Amino acid sequence: MTTLHDHIQMLRAELTSFHLSKRERRQIKRELKEALARRDAEPPA
C-alpha cells in the first residue's frame, strides 16, 4: 500500500518530467497541494 509520504514523493518526481502538458502539470501540482494539506492536517505520530 502506498503511504501518503510515498504519494507525495511520487508526485514531486512526476513534476520533474519534461514530457508533461500544461494541463497535466497543473493537475499534478493540485494533487500535490492536496496531499501536502492532508499530511499537515494529520496529528504527529
Side-chain angles (χ1 to χ4, degrees):
M1 185 169 113
T2 303
T3 66
L4 183 55
H5 175 76
D6 293 338
H7 184 65
I8 290 169
Q9 295 303 95
M10 287 188 294
L11 291 170
R12 286 180 173 157
E14 283 183 45
L15 284 175
T16 65
S17 174
F18 294 104
H19 303 290
L20 294 173
S21 69
K22 288 182 182 182
R23 185 182 348 169
E24 289 170 322
R25 190 169 298 278
R26 280 194 312 265
Q27 181 179 351
I28 292 169
K29 284 181 179 182
R30 185 172 41 250
E31 285 183 45
L32 178 57
K33 184 178 177 181
E34 291 170 1
L36 290 170
R38 282 195 312 268
R39 181 198 64 189
D40 294 342
E42 287 182 352

